[in-house]
Amino acid sequence: MSLDKATVQNIAHLARIRVEDERLDAMVGELNAILGWVEQLSEVDTDGVPPLASVTGHGLPMRADEVTEGDLSEKVLANAPDPAGQFYSVPKVID
Amino acid sequence: MADLLDLSLVEARAALDRGETSSVELTQVYIDAIERGAGLNAFITKTPEKALAMAEASDVRIAAGEAGAMEGLPIGIKDLFCTEGVLATAGSHILDGFKPTYESTVTANLWRNGAVMLGKLNMDEFAMGSANVTSYYGPVVNPWRAQDGGNAQLVPGGSSGGSATAVSGRLALAATGTDTGGSIRQPASFTGIVGLKPTYGRCSRWGVVAFASSLDQAGPLTRDVADAALMLGAMAGHDPKDSTSADLAVPDFSAALTGDIRGLRIGVPAEYRMDGMPGEIETLWQKGVQLMREAGAEIVDISLPHTKYALPTYYIIAPAEASSNLARYDGVRFGLRVDGDSLDEMYENTRAEGFGPEVQRRVMIGTYVLSAGYYDAYYVKAQKVRTLIRRDFDQAFETVDAILTPTAPSDAFAIGENEDDPIKMYLNDVFTVPASMAGLPGMSVPVGLSDRGLPLGLQVLAKPFDEATMLRVAGVLEQAADFDAVPAYLGGGT
Amino acid sequence: MSDLITGETGDWEVVIGLEIHAQVTTKAKLFSGAPTEFGAEPNTQVSLVDAALPGMLPVINKEVVRQAVRTGLGLGAKINLVSVFDRKNYFYPDLPQGYQISQYQQPIVGEGEVEVELEDGSEKSIGIERLHLEQDAGKSVHDLHPAKTYIDLNRSGVALMEIVSKPDMRSAAEAGAYVRKMRSILRYLGTCDGNMQEGSLRCDCNVSVRRPGEELGTRCEIKNVNSIRFVQQAIDYEARRQVEIVEEGGEIAQETRLFDPNRGETRSMRSKEDAHDYRYFPDPDLLPLEIEQSFVDALAADLPELPDAKKMRFVEQYGLAPHDADQIVEDRETAEFYESLAEGRDAKLAANWLLGELFAALNKSDNTLADSPISADGFGRLLDMISDGTISGRIAKDVFVEMFESGRDAEAIVEEKGLRQVSDTGAIEALVDGVLAENPDKIAEYKGGKDKLFGFFIGQVMKKSQGKANPALVNELMRTRLDG
Ligand SMILES: [Mg+2]
Ligand SMILES: [Zn+2]
């Protein structure tokens, strides 16, 4: 499996990272080198082997249905780059 | 008495209890040392005022006989931990100006135990790196210099490079680190100190900026094994806010340092003897094996057949998790925002400017291996291999109590070296990653010097949640190796 | 029952599958301790976890698991003892983590089935594909600023059950019946309040058309429709739109659409046009969710009687017509009201009065049973007065109107207005004789074979008694006079 420029651009868009055209070639090379290297895993026979779900021995702990947090709006909005009153804001999205 | 900077955590704690010094005095000494050591670039944020205020409060508690386990001890915090009201950057531009309104569980535990915060330590961006050269805040300099006539500035390893340099260069009594694939152990080896990654689940991940959730663990970087035992005890514990935190009591790790490993079975895995491994690493390893044998341990040859696949497995799983964990850095709720004409442009501009090249590379790899049509071939395959890696260890631990390996395949290299070749850089973690994949505890202990006079560590691994045995073995190894070299920065071994 | 759409070129069948998002009734969110109340000020019900601040981690709310299992049991579905939470990755400003925690390959509940009753009284079984748990997103507000979208994360992280049906529905009416039935079951179980206006229950409608018996056509998904009426309108519109396109030789583009209730149309959602690649993978912050069979068994043993079982019982126990029973059991409160009304009374009379008078009055006044000014007890005493002959059914209707308006007792109204039924034979005889005396010509006609006039005589008597005469008695006496 080898990536071409279009695929890398597509991945970059999925990841929401702008990649300038002049960087694209280098990035294609780097990613292909890494993917080529991890390709060695295909040597490993994993027939019938379950994927590792977790390394911890315990099950999923559960919380009681209790409201443990009050109004945190100040804390939650404290670092917002462009707050509008009690809202976060982003460039307009058209549905 | 001796220079305060020479005291270990345990010694300083005792000196405080005996009233030979105060926390304020000790803290001031470190604040001054940090100023002198500014060239090492170990700190991203210094908090001297906070430190002195905490130290004063510690002195009051010490006087009142209410000292905690870490009372009055000034330490540094890797900048991956969220600290209330103090900038947290993760070494990244994208967290510009981010001041958490909350405190990570691990740091809260440390403060509850009386520790004093000197500041936030430099690191590879989002903990992605093995040389601390990917930080937005510039590379960290290793206090050691090679005795090869070159005098080049060396990397401290990474990603907890600021932590390693601070502890090695005496800018902090100890430091927290995090280890995803070797980020505590490898820099400890590069800087001649002790670095301990606990079992996955031993230390809470709550409030620690996530890199790869199934691998990340916090742990201490310290001058010696006894310090590591003390500090781990103060960091660890069950946290109901972290679903992966183990609901287990924290043993008295210091009490585990009996100095006696007679009859313990220590495994030496054949597969860690890798092609192209420098002779001095092999020699160091043999020295460690010999020391263990002399201390009365039984050396057992073991096999961990899937060792060589751990690193490629890691470079699928860690980027996959990271690509998702780093999606929240989108310019909406905190940190950097770079405007754009549309929402997508804002996202893409923010993340292009906010993330450095290595982070972008890993996010891209992670995005790709999870994408439609490739998920099974990469991610599922890697998780299957991960099962095999874990099984290798489970089998080995049926016959041995601990495993001894080298920590890193080389000594510290120059800043700028290995940077053009990501895979070469990734190979730094070849010995540390397998235990990470299996969730096992591991620690690096300085055992000797390379031909160039740079420190080299050996790694001790143990069963899940058996840090006590790991520390016992490490303590004996430390004593037998009697590593007493100090970095050039401290004055050429005086 | 045929619900084919007749197009220019022949008949078309519409195929519908629904994804219902039902908010689990809980105090706290799925993975955080923030409250879930509706209508709070923006961003006041948001924990650090819900805002996805760095280092925040999810911890699951046990009640959500309990309610999901109960819902699964209520749908007669398979409960999966091991389920897995995955991350569904995509960027959107109301999705702060950059991923939604959901269940993808291993949901907590597997296949089940729901019986719905259709308009014509027939029943149809709709398959349930799965039920999984997931986080709700926040809210994007587009109309407060010309160039910006505002984000409120109050709903971010609220626990949802997504209930996915099989593509078993063939008309808007069936879809409407399915949603009504699902809402009924959820309310019985108390796992979701079913409030569609507040968004506690939302529907994604997957609609496609095909020639009867042929392969499935390309489907469009209409997102977040928030009333049963809109579900039906959206499906009808969408089916017709697709038929038109296909008949004109066009092709249906698989896409996400939005229903505009003001225009009664669906339209393409531009913001969701992107071909999504959600990159699902198990959330490494959470471990697989494992539950014990004993936990499931205990919940099963404790399940309330659900609409279908209640309906069957009502048909058997009270002799109700299935359609009447269906209407009564749809809502748990109605069923309870009915049972206390029917207790010790003529059960059919109770059903008729409940479904007739009371429902009509509630509908007219835009009220629900919960706001009824007449209690089951008070209503029952009105029925008692009919049964024991104190008042006639005719008078009872007037009394009912008064009760509904004033909230007063039936007895008081009857006494005050002197509405008691006259059952005094002598008094009625006098009335009967009076009517006959006034209409000698009609008597002649009646005797001449115009039987229908009997009703006229009765009517006259009732009129004279102002409706209070016991109709049975009037009948009897009139018959004796005329035929005897
Ligand atoms: Mg859906
Ligand atoms: Zn959904």
Side-chain angles (χ1 to χ4, degrees), chain C residues 19-21 88 100 102 132 134-135 160-162 204 223:
Chain C
E19 292 165 21
I20 291 180
H21 284 94
K88 179 182 182 180
Q100 177 195 36
S102 181
H132 65 254
E134 64 185 23
Q135 299 175 297
L160 301 179
M161 295 180 282
E162 179 173 332
D204 297 346
K223 280 275 181 203

Side-chain angles (χ1 to χ4, degrees), chain A residues 5 15 20 25 30 38-40 43 54 57-58 61-62 75 85-86 88 92 94:
Chain A
K5 279 200 216 183
E20 306 290 2
D25 275 322
E30 286 162 12
V38 301
E39 206 67 24
Q40 59 181 296
E43 296 165 15
S54 90
H58 62 268
M62 300 200 217
K75 285 191 168 193
Q86 286 276 95
Y88 298 102
K92 188 137 190 138
I94 303 133

Side-chain angles (χ1 to χ4, degrees), chain C residues 162-375:
Chain C
E162 179 173 332
I163 306 167
V164 183
S165 84
K166 299 198 168 173
D168 286 353
M169 286 155 277
R170 294 290 175 272
S171 69
E174 287 185 16
Y178 170 77
V179 178
R180 210 173 293 117
K181 185 57 174 285
M182 188 62 72
R183 187 176 58 178
S184 168
I185 293 172
L186 296 173
R187 282 180 168 167
Y188 264 77
L189 292 165
T191 58
C192 169
D193 67 20
N195 190 329
M196 296 189 80
Q197 274 127 341
E198 292 183 2
S200 310
L201 194 79
R202 280 124 58 193
C203 278
D204 297 346
C205 313
N206 289 294
V207 179
S208 63
V209 295
R210 65 175 174 189
R211 295 290 188 190
E214 288 188 0
E215 296 275 287
L216 285 174
T218 304
R219 67 190 168 86
C220 290
E221 182 175 16
I222 312 158
K223 280 275 181 203
N224 272 339
V225 188
N226 67 353
S227 86
I228 293 174
R229 195 160 54 90
F230 293 163
V231 165
Q232 301 192 177
Q233 285 177 5
I235 290 169
D236 277 334
Y237 177 88
E238 180 60 19
R240 294 225 155 261
R241 184 188 73 89
Q242 292 184 12
V243 166
E244 270 171 39
I245 291 175
V246 182
E247 290 198 325
E248 280 165 17
E251 269 191 38
I252 307 298
Q254 180 163 352
E255 62 177 356
T256 302
R257 298 177 70 84
L258 198 70
F259 179 66
D260 180 343
N262 297 320
R263 297 171 161 209
E265 296 173 358
T266 67
R267 59 181 160 84
S268 185
M269 281 177 85
R270 271 190 288 162
S271 64
K272 306 259 171 174
E273 247 172 38
D274 252 357
H276 277 306
D277 184 344
Y278 291 121
R279 292 158 283 138
Y280 283 100
F281 75 108
D283 190 332
D285 287 331
L286 295 161
L287 307 163
L289 171 59
E290 292 176 31
I291 51 179
E292 303 282 335
Q293 186 59 48
S294 58
F295 171 73
V296 178
D297 293 343
L299 292 179
D302 216 28
L303 234 44
E305 183 183 37
L306 292 173
D308 286 345
K310 206 180 273 292
K311 175 183 170 185
M312 286 226 301
R313 182 165 65 79
F314 281 14
V315 169
E316 273 177 30
Q317 185 176 338
Y318 300 117
L320 298 186
H323 181 68
D324 289 350
D326 208 60
Q327 281 181 276
I328 290 174
V329 303
E330 176 171 337
D331 182 61
R332 187 176 182 167
E333 284 68 42
T334 307
E336 277 165 11
F337 189 98
Y338 172 72
E339 287 219 79
S340 78
L341 190 63
E343 171 77 44
R345 298 195 175 91
D346 177 343
K348 276 189 182 162
L349 181 75
N352 290 340
W353 275 78
L354 173 65
L355 292 173
E357 304 306 311
L358 186 57
F359 270 30
L362 288 171
N363 267 340
K364 218 169 122 189
S365 61
D366 223 8
N367 275 315
T368 64
L369 195 59
D371 337 293
S372 168
I374 304 179
S375 67

Side-chain angles (χ1 to χ4, degrees), chain B residues 34-338:
Chain B
I34 291 168
E35 285 310 313
R36 284 198 306 277
L40 298 176
N41 198 27
F43 282 80
I44 291 174
T45 303
K46 299 164 202 164
T47 56
E49 280 141 41
K50 191 179 175 77
L52 287 170
M54 290 174 91
E56 267 177 49
S58 276
D59 284 332
V60 171
R61 283 193 293 272
I62 292 167
E66 292 163 0
M70 295 277 291
E71 196 69 59
L73 304 175
I75 60 172
I77 301 297
K78 186 178 186 181
D79 210 13
L80 203 61
F81 293 82
C82 290
T83 42
E84 192 172 352
V86 177
L87 194 69
T89 70
S92 181
H93 187 25
I94 209 158
L95 273 167
D96 264 12
F98 174 62
K99 284 189 181 169
T101 53
Y102 48 94
E103 187 76 35
S104 82
T105 299
V106 161
T107 48
N109 288 347
L110 286 165
W111 314 144
R112 206 186 53 247
N113 279 291
V116 168
M117 178 164 91
L118 291 165
K120 305 292 292 291
L121 293 159
N122 205 342
M123 54 178 288
D124 277 306
E125 186 179 2
F126 281 103
M128 297 178 190
S130 305
N132 216 128
V133 293
T134 70
S135 171
Y136 177 69
Y137 297 90
V140 177
V141 180
N142 192 327
W144 292 78
R145 284 287 193 278
Q147 284 156 14
D148 58 1
N151 204 33
Q153 288 195 332
L154 305 177
V155 302
S159 68
S160 308
S163 304
T165 281
V167 174
S168 168
R170 308 268 205 272
L171 311 185
L173 252 176
T176 63
T178 62
D179 189 315
T180 303
S183 279
I184 288 175
R185 291 161 287 166
Q186 183 256 14
S189 178
F190 275 24
T191 57
I193 62 171
V194 171
L196 187 156
K197 180 200 96 80
T199 313
Y200 182 83
R202 179 66 92 181
C203 286
S204 169
R205 294 184 298 114
W206 194 88
V208 185
V209 172
F211 161 16
S213 308
S214 74
L215 297 156
D216 297 343
Q217 259 303 287
L221 291 100
T222 56
R223 308 252 175 88
D224 61 34
V225 174
D227 285 4
L230 173 67
M231 187 157 161
L232 175 61
M235 294 169 71
H238 175 235
D239 182 2
K241 290 189 287 192
D242 174 359
S243 300
T244 61
S245 166
D247 191 1
L248 294 174
V250 179
D252 182 346
F253 293 122
S254 298
L257 302 175
T258 60
D260 182 2
I261 57 164
R262 280 173 300 172
L264 271 192
R265 296 166 65 86
I266 294 181
V268 177
E271 291 78 5
Y272 279 59
R273 196 160 286 114
M274 286 179 172
D275 290 346
M277 185 163 87
E280 60 186 8
I281 301 293
E282 171 70 32
T283 306
L284 181 87
W285 192 9
Q286 288 316 316
K287 175 183 165 187
V289 168
Q290 186 56 32
L291 294 175
M292 294 285 89
R293 195 178 281 126
E294 284 164 10
E298 185 187 340
I299 303 301
V300 181
D301 287 327
I302 58 168
S303 173
L304 299 167
H306 297 90
T307 298
K308 78 174 262 211
Y309 299 109
L311 204 55
T313 300
Y314 176 87
Y315 274 95
I316 291 171
I317 290 168
E321 293 182 7
S323 71
S324 177
N325 282 333
L326 270 55
R328 66 188 57 197
Y329 304 97
D330 59 4
V332 177
R333 296 165 321 284
F334 47 80
L336 181 73
R337 169 183 298 195
V338 181

